[in-house]
């Protein structure tokens, strides 16, 4: 790459170092040939348009499309505007450079025929969760996973996000002879297309791709070699090896004013900061030079000559040739796959090919079969069911079987307790959503409020702000009883101006409609002081906080689901643990502990101290219960005097209890308090 959010780091130039001596000799020979062929660059429009077939590989975490087809097309539009000098901001080119600003006479075309001769949109969606968050050190893994013939297509890989603040990187044309398996351009998904830049609008106009494709076509940075190549005798062999792009001593960010960092002879020019091969903001770069055009055309006509050949344009469909067709490949998605009995699920055919007939089989479904392209199905009984799709056309057929595709949830009774111990995947019938495809809630083995595990939404590595990741519980039937929700969370802010949010939502109809019942964000959400800026926050045992949500308003819910929503603010990880839904069947109106019992220490391996603060003499009833309501100890009901009173849990009773979560219920004549006690594992 070349462009990054903050400090200078060029991914494209990083890739040069490991190349072989043979490649280096070849590159040097090509440079000499270019110098001989280029002569004096001309800005004349020749009318000879070179067409480059393109395939865009969208590397996704799931079948959910985060980058739309329209967004891909917007990026192709930007490339065509910029390389043909049709961009609207050419009027901003300074007077001294208007005479060298070039129309490179190149058109980029999304291929309509794939390497197998099948119809394609030129947009190849690939589900590869391990590659969707990509670092330059993972180049081989990414490109070996999917690549079309680099002699016939410009391969553009678009992971959801690039690590280390990279915007992109590319290979040079001279590498094609020695490392064709690496040839192509990688662009950060957050900066791909027009109008989609993050974390700011600085890189939101699609010019990251313009810059990286410039490398792929043979261009160096305008600041390559700093102030070297400042005379007519060496400008073709030093610096960026182009004479009409004045040397620049260093890369430039933002939108600079007039700048002259090097002083060339015989004519001294200002820096060409608006050149696409600098690091300025997208809105402040808007030209290639005639010398750059000459260099691009040389490499297209030599190293990449097959790419633009008439035969290849026919093979890729970029001359209007239509594919004769091929055998379809079955694929499908659904509107949901974890619902309650009777709730319809809409299925959508996503087969490649295309197909002309569809044969669906829905195990246990209604209907059980369908020949519609996009049917809607429901299930009457809880369970896990298979879905099969067979697609056909006049050339062949293909069958896809998804054995555990649909889960019809079984409502369970409250209470429930989930501490995520011993799990490697989400609990049964729980599910998570991943709006930005940069990772959702995952089991963590690094921290736990009690035990060794918890569940975490790692917003530290999710670049876009305001993306939502949901953790949704199984279905609960409250049977008309009041309930309280208790859970522990841990969070540390990344900075004072970036915040994450945690919300709790409740659905009474299995997840169709939702109501928000609790939320915290920023400083109010934080359970640890200071800022975590160097890596993902991992809480210690003392950095957890217990939260309480009164769910008595939903006591009649027969199909309740609870949703924990993390809203990323470009900040830090949020952890959850010890999620408990407590049904208090014997309490008319349970009240969370606000001024009632004081428990210390909590958690505690030994029996904790429980203190009551009484403003008047009153009769006290108290009992210790498990999360499912089983009484494990009951204190005698008796009058207690004004002031501080203590409830003692006998050491032998506490010592016999297994590690876990317990609830202390204290009642007097006017109030009821429910407090959580935790006994950790030794």
């Amino acid at each position: 790459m070349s462009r990054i959010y903050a400090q200078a780091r060029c991914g494209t130039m990083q890739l040069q170092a490991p190349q072989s001596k043979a490649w280096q000799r070849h590159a040097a020979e090509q440079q000499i040939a270019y110098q001989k062929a280029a002569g004096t660059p001309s800005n004349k429009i020749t009318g000879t348009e070179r067409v480059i077939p393109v395939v865009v590989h969208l590397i996704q975490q799931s079948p959910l499309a985060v980058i739309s087809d329209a967004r891909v097309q917007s990026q192709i539009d930007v490339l065509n505007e910029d390389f043909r000098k049709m961009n609207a901001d050419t009027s901003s080119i300074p007077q001294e450079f208007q005479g060298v600003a070039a129309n490179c006479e190149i058109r980029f075309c999304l291929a309509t025929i794939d390497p197998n001769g099948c119809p394609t949109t030129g947009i190849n969606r690939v589900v590869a969760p391990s590659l969707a968050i990509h670092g330059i050190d993972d180049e081989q893994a990414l490109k070996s996973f999917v690549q079309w013939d680099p002699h016939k297509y410009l391969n553009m890989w678009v992971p959801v996000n690039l690590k280390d603040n990279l915007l992109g990187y590319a290979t040079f044309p001279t590498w094609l002879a020695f490392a064709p398996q690496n040839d192509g351009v990688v662009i950060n998904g957050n900066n791909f297309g027009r109008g989609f830049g993050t974390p700011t609008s600085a890189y939101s106009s699609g010019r990251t791709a313009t810059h990286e494709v410039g490398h792929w076509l043979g261009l160096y940075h305008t600041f390559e070699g700093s102030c070297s190549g400042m005379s007519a005798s060496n400008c073709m062999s030093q610096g960026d090896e182009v004479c009409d792009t004045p040397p620049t001593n260093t890369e430039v960010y933002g939108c600079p004013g007039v700048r002259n960092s090097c002083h060339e002879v015989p004519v001294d020019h200002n820096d060409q900061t608006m050149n696409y091969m600098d690091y300025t903001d997208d809105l402040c770069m808007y030209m290639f030079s005639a010398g750059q055009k000459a260099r691009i055309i040389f490499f297209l006509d030599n190293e990449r000559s097959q790419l633009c050949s008439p035969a290849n344009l026919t093979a890729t469909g970029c001359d209007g040739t239509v594919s004769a067709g091929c055998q379809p490949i079955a694929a499908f998605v659904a509107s949901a796959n974890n619902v309650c009995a009777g709730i319809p699920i809409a299925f959508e055919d996503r087969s490649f090919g295309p197909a002309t007939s569809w044969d669906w089989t829905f195990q246990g479904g209604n209907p059980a079969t369908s020949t519609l392209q996009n049917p809607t199905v429901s299930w009457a009984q809880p369970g896990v069911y298979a879905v099969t799709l067979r697609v056909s056309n006049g050339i062949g057929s293909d069958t896809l079987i998804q054995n555990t595709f649909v889960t019809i949830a079984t409502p369970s009774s409250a209470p429930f307790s989930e501490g995520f111990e011993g799990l490697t995947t989400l609990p049964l019938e729980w599910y998570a959503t991943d709006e930005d495809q940069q990772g959702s809630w995952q089991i963590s083995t690094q921290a736990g409020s009690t035990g060794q595990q918890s569940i975490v939404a790692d917003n530290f590595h999710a670049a876009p702000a305001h993306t939502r990741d949901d953790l949704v519980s199984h279905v609960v039937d409250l049977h008309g009883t009041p309930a309280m929700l208790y859970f522990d969370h841990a969070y540390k802010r990344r900075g004072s101006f970036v915040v994450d949010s945690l919300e709790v939502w409740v659905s009474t109809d299995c997840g169709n409609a939702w109501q928000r019942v609790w939320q915290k964000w920023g400083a109010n959400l934080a359970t640890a002081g200071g800022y975590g800026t160097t890596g993902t926050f991992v809480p210690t045992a003392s950095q957890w906080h217990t939260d309480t949500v009164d769910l008595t308003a939903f006591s009649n819910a027969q199909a309740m689901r609870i949703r924990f929503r993390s809203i990323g603010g470009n900040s830090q990880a949020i952890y959850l643990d010890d999620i408990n839904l407590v049904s208090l069947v014997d309490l008319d109106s349970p009240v969370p502990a606000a001024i009632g019992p004081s428990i210390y220490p909590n958690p505690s391996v030994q029996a904790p101290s429980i203190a009551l603060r009484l403003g008047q003499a009153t009769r006290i009833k108290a009992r210790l219960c498990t999360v499912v309501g089983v009484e494990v100890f009951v204190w005698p009901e008796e009058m207690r005097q004004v002031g501080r009173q203590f409830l003692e849990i006998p050491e032998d009773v506490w010592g016999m209890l297994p590690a876990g979560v317990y609830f202390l219920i204290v009642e007097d004549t006017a109030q009821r308090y429910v407090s959580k006690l935790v006994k950790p594992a030794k």
Side-chain angles (χ1 to χ4, degrees):
M1 124 124 192
S2 19
R3 309 173 66 209
I4 62 164
Y5 296 148
Q7 62 184 3
R9 179 180 297 172
C10 176
T12 296
M13 304 314 292
Q14 279 180 256
L15 295 179
Q16 277 202 104
Q19 302 304 320
S20 67
K21 291 183 178 179
W23 167 78
Q24 294 173 13
R25 287 195 302 271
H26 177 74
E29 291 166 359
Q30 287 300 101
Q31 175 60 23
I32 293 171
Y34 158 66
Q35 293 174 23
K36 291 180 179 178
T40 301
S42 171
N43 209 7
K44 181 180 179 180
I45 305 302
T46 66
T48 302
E49 181 182 70
R50 290 164 175 82
V51 180
I52 297 177
V54 180
V55 56
V56 177
H57 305 291
L58 299 176
I59 313 301
Q60 304 182 173
Q61 295 238 10
S62 76
L64 178 67
V66 171
I67 296 177
S68 67
D69 289 3
R71 183 166 161 186
V72 174
Q73 184 59 56
S74 78
Q75 182 63 78
I76 300 301
D77 292 342
V78 171
L79 290 173
N80 283 325
E81 293 165 7
D82 291 349
F83 278 87
R84 295 164 74 186
K85 199 186 172 185
M86 297 175 65
N87 47 304
D89 45 7
T90 55
S91 59
S92 299
I93 298 172
Q95 180 67 36
E96 68 174 313
F97 297 128
Q98 287 183 5
V100 300
N103 172 357
C104 296
E105 297 182 271
I106 294 173
R107 178 167 64 87
F108 297 86
C109 160
L110 282 172
T112 61
I113 302 176
D114 75 7
N116 297 315
C118 297
T120 181
T121 62
I123 301 171
N124 182 30
R125 298 185 181 276
V126 181
V127 177
S130 64
L131 300 174
I133 310 300
H134 173 66
I136 196 169
D137 292 339
D138 305 324
E139 181 195 14
Q140 299 301 323
L142 175 67
K143 295 178 176 180
S144 63
F145 188 81
V146 57
Q147 184 195 39
W148 292 6
D149 187 344
H151 298 91
K152 297 181 178 180
Y153 302 87
L154 161 53
N155 285 268
M156 299 185 74
W157 291 271
V158 186
V160 171
N161 192 20
L162 288 181
K163 300 176 184 177
D164 302 320
N165 288 333
L166 284 171
L167 299 187
Y169 63 90
T171 57
F172 287 110
T174 47
W175 300 6
L176 184 61
F178 293 91
Q181 73 278 7
N182 293 342
D183 188 74
V185 172
V186 179
I187 304 292
N188 185 359
N190 296 315
N191 304 95
F192 186 79
R194 198 194 319 260
F196 297 94
T198 55
T200 70
S201 61
Y203 310 113
S204 63
S205 300
R207 258 94 188 240
T208 293
T210 302
H211 179 107
E212 300 304 338
V213 172
H215 283 312
W216 182 80
L217 289 168
L219 301 183
Y220 292 114
H221 296 129
T222 54
F223 52 85
E224 192 74 27
S226 189
C227 287
S228 61
M230 293 196 298
S231 71
S233 63
N234 61 16
C235 60
M236 284 282 286
S237 59
Q238 296 182 19
D240 69 347
E241 300 174 358
V242 175
C243 288
D244 59 7
T245 56
T248 302
N249 70 341
T250 186
E251 67 270 34
V252 180
Y253 295 97
C255 288
V258 176
R259 182 176 183 268
N260 190 354
S261 60
C262 302
H263 301 288
E264 58 272 18
V265 293
V267 180
D268 185 22
H269 289 284
N270 292 316
D271 294 353
Q272 207 173 89
T273 59
M274 70 294 308
N275 194 287
Y276 292 120
M277 301 313 294
D278 206 329
Y279 275 1
T280 47
D281 291 356
D282 279 12
L283 295 179
C284 296
M285 52 167 56
Y286 27 78
M287 68 168 284
F288 287 115
S289 73
Q292 288 174 319
K293 173 183 177 178
R295 188 176 177 89
I296 288 171
I297 297 305
F298 172 82
F299 286 111
L300 274 179
D301 290 349
N302 288 272
E303 298 288 334
R304 300 195 184 280
S305 59
Q306 182 180 350
L307 190 73
C308 301
S309 68
N312 191 53
L313 299 186
T314 298
T316 58
C318 282
D319 66 353
T321 299
V322 178
S323 167
C326 61
Q327 177 178 313
I329 301 173
F332 62 84
V333 295
S335 59
N337 59 6
N338 189 323
V339 299
C340 289
I343 294 179
I345 298 176
F347 287 82
E348 180 183 349
D349 169 53
R350 289 281 184 88
S351 299
F352 304 94
T356 56
S357 66
W358 302 265
D359 293 296
W360 298 84
T361 301
F362 304 102
Q363 180 188 18
N366 180 25
T369 61
S370 176
T371 57
L372 296 176
Q373 182 178 5
N374 300 310
T376 298
V377 187
S378 62
W379 277 260
Q381 299 298 323
V384 179
Y385 298 99
V387 175
T388 301
L389 172 62
R390 182 177 185 272
V391 292
S392 304
N393 60 19
I395 299 175
S397 63
D398 185 50
T399 299
L400 173 63
I401 302 173
Q402 298 276 29
N403 285 314
T404 58
F405 190 79
V406 172
T407 297
I408 305 301
T410 305
S412 62
S413 298
F416 74 76
S417 177
E418 184 54 66
F420 306 103
E421 293 301 310
L423 298 179
T424 56
T425 59
L426 295 181
L428 183 65
E429 295 188 358
W430 290 53
Y431 66 90
T433 64
D434 185 5
E435 182 181 85
D436 59 350
Q437 291 196 36
Q438 300 197 60
S440 187
W441 293 93
Q442 299 287 335
I443 300 296
S444 170
T445 59
Q446 294 184 290
S449 176
T450 58
Q452 305 300 315
Q453 295 191 176
S454 58
I455 194 164
V456 60
D458 185 3
N459 294 320
F460 187 87
H461 290 107
H466 311 301
T467 54
R468 301 177 299 182
D469 295 313
D470 291 341
L471 173 68
V472 182
S473 76
H474 65 290
V475 183
V476 179
D477 184 350
L478 290 181
H479 296 291
T481 62
M484 301 290 294
L485 175 67
Y486 297 86
F487 62 92
D488 292 351
H489 87 269
Y491 169 72
K492 186 175 189 176
R493 300 169 72 192
R494 188 171 182 173
S496 57
F497 297 106
V498 285
V499 297
D500 300 285
S501 300
L502 179 64
E503 300 177 345
V504 177
W505 296 66
V506 170
S507 170
T508 60
D509 58 2
C510 197
N512 282 338
W514 293 90
Q515 176 180 341
R516 190 174 62 192
V517 296
W518 182 94
Q519 62 176 330
K520 283 185 179 180
W521 62 89
N524 290 330
L525 182 65
T527 62
Y531 299 118
T533 60
T534 59
T536 300
F537 164 62
V538 178
T540 63
S542 63
Q543 292 175 321
W544 290 84
H545 176 77
T546 299
D547 301 279
T548 306
V549 183
D550 186 351
L551 300 182
T552 55
F554 305 98
S555 60
N556 292 321
Q558 297 179 352
M560 183 173 76
R561 281 190 133 137
I562 299 170
R563 177 170 72 188
F564 297 89
R565 169 167 288 176
S566 163
I567 302 178
N570 248 351
S571 191
Q572 262 295 358
I574 301 174
Y575 292 79
L576 291 176
D577 200 3
D578 292 339
I579 299 172
N580 295 282
L581 182 68
V582 180
S583 175
L584 303 175
V585 296
D586 56 342
L587 299 181
D588 295 330
S589 56
V591 179
I595 60 172
S598 173
I599 305 168
Y600 182 83
N602 190 18
S604 178
V605 175
Q606 284 76 41
S609 172
I610 303 170
L612 307 177
R613 296 180 300 277
L614 303 181
Q616 62 183 21
T618 185
R619 183 170 292 276
I620 294 294
K621 294 190 296 182
R623 51 206 166 93
L624 186 65
C625 301
T626 67
V627 293
V628 296
V630 176
E631 294 179 348
V632 295
F633 187 74
V634 178
W635 284 268
E637 181 178 343
E638 58 184 348
M639 287 293 296
R640 298 275 184 161
Q641 299 305 310
V642 175
R644 190 170 180 141
Q645 300 289 323
F646 291 91
L647 297 175
E648 295 184 0
I649 304 175
E651 282 291 350
D652 59 338
V653 172
W654 188 256
M656 291 292 291
L657 295 177
V661 177
Y662 299 89
F663 290 93
L664 173 67
I665 302 171
V666 178
E667 303 174 72
D668 62 15
T669 57
Q671 301 178 91
R672 299 175 178 85
Y673 297 103
V674 180
S675 301
K676 176 182 170 184
L677 289 79
V678 176
K679 182 179 180 182
K682 293 183 179 180

